[in-house]
Amino acid sequence: LAKTTQPISMDSYEGQEVNITCSHNNIATNDYITWYQQFPSQGPRFIIQGYKTKVTNEVASLFIPADRKSSTLSLPRVSLSDTAVYYCLVGDARSGGGADGLTFGKGTHLIIQP
Amino acid sequence: EPEVTQTPSHQVTQMGQEVILRCVPISNHLYFYWYRQILGQKVEFLVSFYNNEISEKSEIFDDQFSVERPDGSNFTLKIRSTKLEDSAMYFCASKGRVGSTDTQYFGPGTRLTVL
């Protein structure tokens, strides 16, 4: 599994766009990039997944440059309720075995202030 | 939207007792997982289960742990003789239904407190 590096914490304000960058220099050809969000005392929640270029859903956008050695999760117009830990995971999400457990790092603790 | 459910939400037990944590994965999902998170630490993978058998397990998942899918809906984690260090949040997850992505969907967790 490719190792990921992301900031331990970030602060922002309501209404701002927040970008969290994750480095994964050893990403493999078959690896996908997945972001999860976790609120205190709750299970991780899937946000977005991508392989290359840009992916957008109703919650976030994921930007992946051509070399795929990093990725950026973009949260538009954050609110107080976006305060959470955000995890970047890299792995072969579509492996034939399919049963691989996820490896979580420490994530980025995002704090949104009024 | 379908979701993974877990019971109980909080379990308190005495050291050395057996506990069973229960999960109902999303209907028609094929892969099932248990994770744990000790307070203030990372989410750690314990075990994955597919086709009625363990597919993968971590070093944490020793002989004190077992998993079972006793019927078509429940997925359980049993800790045979709990230790103080087993105190943690335990999350169940599932993934994989026909036509889906491979995202794992997590339940709300069971907080296990071992006294």
Side-chain angles (χ1 to χ4, degrees):
Chain A
L1 294 171
K3 182 181 176 181
T4 60
T5 303
Q6 52 184 125
I8 294 175
S9 65
M10 291 181 67
D11 293 315
S12 188
Y13 295 90
E14 282 191 292
Q16 299 295 303
E17 178 183 81
V18 171
N19 296 310
I20 306 175
T21 297
C22 177
S23 297
H24 28 81
N25 291 317
N26 297 322
I27 190 168
T29 304
N30 294 332
D31 286 343
Y32 280 72
I33 301 151
T34 310
W35 286 80
Y36 282 81
Q37 173 193 57
Q38 186 181 28
F39 298 113
S41 298
Q42 294 188 28
R45 184 175 75 102
F46 169 83
I47 301 176
I48 198 166
Q49 183 180 75
Y51 183 80
K52 63 180 179 180
T53 62
K54 177 184 175 182
V55 179
T56 297
N57 61 23
E58 64 278 6
V59 176
S61 294
L62 179 59
F63 299 92
I64 305 167
D67 66 7
R68 304 201 325 123
K69 293 184 183 298
S70 66
S71 59
T72 300
L73 174 72
S74 181
L75 305 172
R77 296 181 298 282
V78 293
S79 63
L80 295 176
S81 62
D82 291 315
T83 294
V85 180
Y86 292 82
Y87 299 98
C88 166
L89 285 76
V90 173
D92 188 355
R94 299 174 192 270
S95 65
D100 293 347
L102 298 175
T103 300
F104 287 84
K106 295 183 178 180
T108 296
H109 189 188
L110 176 64
I111 298 172
I112 305 301
Q113 301 180 43
Chain B
E1 182 178 321
E3 58 183 20
V4 176
T5 60
Q6 292 185 241
T7 55
S9 57
H10 192 184
Q11 174 89 46
V12 180
T13 190
Q14 295 290 325
M15 188 170 57
Q17 295 296 302
E18 173 185 286
V19 295
I20 298 176
L21 310 182
R22 291 182 168 80
C23 167
V24 178
I26 293 173
S27 178
N28 296 327
H29 273 192
L30 303 174
Y31 302 94
F32 313 108
Y33 307 81
W34 283 101
Y35 294 82
R36 81 171 185 190
Q37 186 174 32
I38 296 171
L39 184 64
Q41 298 189 25
K42 299 186 293 185
V43 176
E44 300 174 291
F45 166 73
L46 293 178
V47 65
S48 60
F49 193 85
Y50 171 70
N51 200 25
N52 285 320
E53 61 183 20
I54 290 175
S55 297
E56 183 188 13
K57 59 183 180 179
S58 71
E59 292 179 353
I60 303 168
F61 194 87
D62 60 21
D63 292 344
Q64 293 298 315
F65 292 89
S66 62
V67 289
E68 192 177 32
R69 188 158 159 82
D71 52 42
S73 60
N74 291 285
F75 180 51
T76 62
L77 174 70
K78 182 192 291 186
I79 307 175
R80 192 184 317 160
S81 178
T82 50
K83 303 187 283 285
L84 295 176
E85 54 265 38
D86 292 327
S87 294
M89 285 288 289
Y90 288 81
F91 297 109
C92 172
S94 69
K95 79 167 190 181
R97 54 184 168 84
V98 175
S100 75
T101 66
D102 291 293
T103 306
Q104 290 189 24
Y105 294 85
F106 285 76
T110 293
R111 180 176 299 282
L112 176 64
T113 302
V114 182
L115 303 176

